[in-house]
Amino acid sequence: MSMTNAKFVEMVLRKLSALSAGESASAEDYEDTKELIDASLLSMHADGVLWWAVTVDDVAFTSDTATRPADYAKGIYASWAGRPVRFCERLEYERKEDKTQTGDPEMVLDDGTSLILWPVPSAGNLRLTYLHKIVGTNQGDDVPVPDEIVRPLIDMMAYEIAPWFDTPATIGQRLAQDAQRAMLQIHSLSRETAEQAPTPAEYF
């Protein structure tokens, strides 16, 4: 059930009653709506809703600091030479008296634009698992989300951007109800579906 960005925006605007059946969004309406949708999708990372948007990549370090990946939204897990490196808060990092101490990194600080390791390692790669940004502005491109999420995501986005439109109160109430149901559906789809089974013992 692939859907293009243009069709997705059209469906969201119809949900808001901002478009009539058979009517297409103007170029200006498309760009404005798509910007609102992209911003809403980015904010949903903080709530852990975008569970499918995960990337694993190596980030090269030649000092204690490296630029975050361009599509980075939020770090999940990191490791150096197979050993875990935990994410820390700014205050914990600032409390370190010797920020030039060398060694295998134990923690990483995300300062909004860069990743900073402590202790400072020699050159190497940080294996990084992170939530990536869900964006895409080309109208003919497919919406970059799993097919089963598209329909509930339309309900979520219509509710999120409704304050920017002259939405009647009755429609606003329906949007709130639909969004709550959509959120539950998206969260339910995020659960692991592998069947539990006994793990066979291995003897050496």
Side-chain angles (χ1 to χ4, degrees):
M1 194 191 70
S2 297
M3 180 178 292
T4 64
N5 285 316
K7 186 64 175 180
F8 184 83
V9 169
E10 179 183 320
M11 296 294 286
V12 171
L13 290 175
R14 286 186 184 178
K15 184 80 178 182
L16 290 168
S17 296
L19 279 183
S20 302
E23 187 179 2
S24 298
S26 66
E28 183 178 359
D29 286 344
Y30 172 84
E31 291 300 330
D32 290 345
T33 305
K34 192 63 174 66
E35 286 183 7
L36 290 171
I37 289 173
D38 286 345
S40 295
L41 286 170
L42 289 176
S43 68
M44 289 169 70
H45 278 289
D47 297 327
V49 178
L50 305 184
W51 48 266
W52 67 86
V54 177
T55 294
V56 181
D57 202 0
D58 290 328
V59 179
F61 281 79
T62 56
S63 64
D64 65 331
T65 304
T67 303
R68 299 190 321 182
D71 63 344
Y72 180 97
K74 182 180 180 181
I76 300 174
Y77 178 78
S79 64
W80 185 276
R83 290 182 293 275
V85 177
R86 63 182 178 83
F87 287 88
C88 69
E89 300 293 335
R90 167 67 70 177
L91 182 59
E92 182 180 3
Y93 176 78
E94 293 300 338
R95 284 174 175 166
K96 297 296 181 183
E97 294 183 2
D98 185 3
K99 295 182 177 59
T100 62
Q101 178 180 327
T102 59
D104 289 338
E106 300 173 5
M107 63 186 197
V108 56
L109 170 68
D110 172 10
D111 74 352
T113 57
S114 303
L115 299 174
I116 305 172
L117 294 175
W118 186 92
V120 181
S122 56
N125 292 326
L126 182 73
R127 189 70 168 169
L128 183 65
T129 302
Y130 62 93
L131 288 171
H132 64 249
K133 298 175 182 177
I134 297 293
V135 294
T137 56
N138 294 327
Q139 297 191 31
D141 292 345
D142 287 341
V143 179
V145 300
D147 290 347
E148 66 268 26
I149 303 300
V150 171
R151 291 294 180 180
L153 199 58
I154 289 172
D155 292 341
M156 284 295 303
M157 289 301 98
Y159 172 73
E160 290 289 334
I161 70 175
W164 279 268
F165 291 82
D166 188 16
T167 306
T170 53
I171 294 179
Q173 292 173 359
R174 177 170 56 82
L175 291 176
Q177 295 173 352
D178 290 348
Q180 185 176 14
R181 183 173 60 252
M183 180 67 78
L184 292 174
Q185 184 178 356
I186 290 174
H187 276 300
S188 70
L189 290 170
S190 72
R191 296 171 183 167
E192 295 185 7
T193 56
E195 294 183 6
Q196 295 183 356
T199 303
E202 296 184 6
Y203 299 93
F204 298 95

